[in-house]
Amino acid sequence: MTTRVLLAVLLAAAGAEASPSGFPLRPLSVELGVRVNDTTDQLRKSFGVDADHGVLVMEVQPHGPAERAGLRAGDVVTRVAGAPVASAGDVLDALEGRHAGDEVAVEYVRAGSAATARVTLARAEPPRMRMGQWSFPIPGGYSPDDAERELRRFRERIERQLRDLDERLRHLEQRPPDSDRTAL
């Protein structure tokens, strides 16, 4: 019975509705060029942010899209492409489905003054994947489209193997007890 519960959990994780492949990993094709942290009410107040959301820019990629648009470390970003952001995951969600060269509005607060920057997104280098609010380089340098295909193939292979294992377990459970075995 424990094996079936484990199988159900694995299938649920593999079948998450997070991407077209159904796998919770998603490719990132663009980048804003910032590293951000979540904020608290107290922190936002100390930065002069009136909004009940926002992420603190901890680092701006030198010569990256955000720097070219004028963003700096210490800014509190409140919206990306019109969507309110309260976490790194929200920023990534706002960029999903966009392409290198697309321009997005980034609303932020600097020294208590609200402003908007127009950021031209760059291709993610190296190609990256995301899971929730975390992103990481794609092993082997796959392009995001290649990675999506590989993830889909991986999911399909795992599902086939789990179905086969489940069938074997059902078959074993339906077999009559072996009369040659001695009960201990």
Side-chain angles (χ1 to χ4, degrees), residues 33 59-65 67-68:
E59 183 179 354
V60 177
Q61 176 187 0
H63 313 292
E67 184 181 75
R68 286 191 297 270

Side-chain angles (χ1 to χ4, degrees), residues 159-174:
E159 286 176 344
R160 279 192 307 271
Q161 290 172 347
L162 290 173
R163 280 192 300 271
D164 181 54
L165 182 57
D166 187 50
E167 183 63 34
R168 289 179 184 181
L169 287 172
R170 285 183 196 181
H171 180 48
L172 286 173
E173 288 174 348
Q174 293 173 355

Side-chain angles (χ1 to χ4, degrees), residues 118-140:
R118 303 291 302 167
V119 179
T120 302
L121 300 174
R123 183 173 184 264
E125 289 293 337
R128 303 181 69 75
M129 295 295 293
R130 78 173 272 212
M131 182 175 218
Q133 68 181 14
W134 298 283
S135 70
F136 46 90
I138 297 173

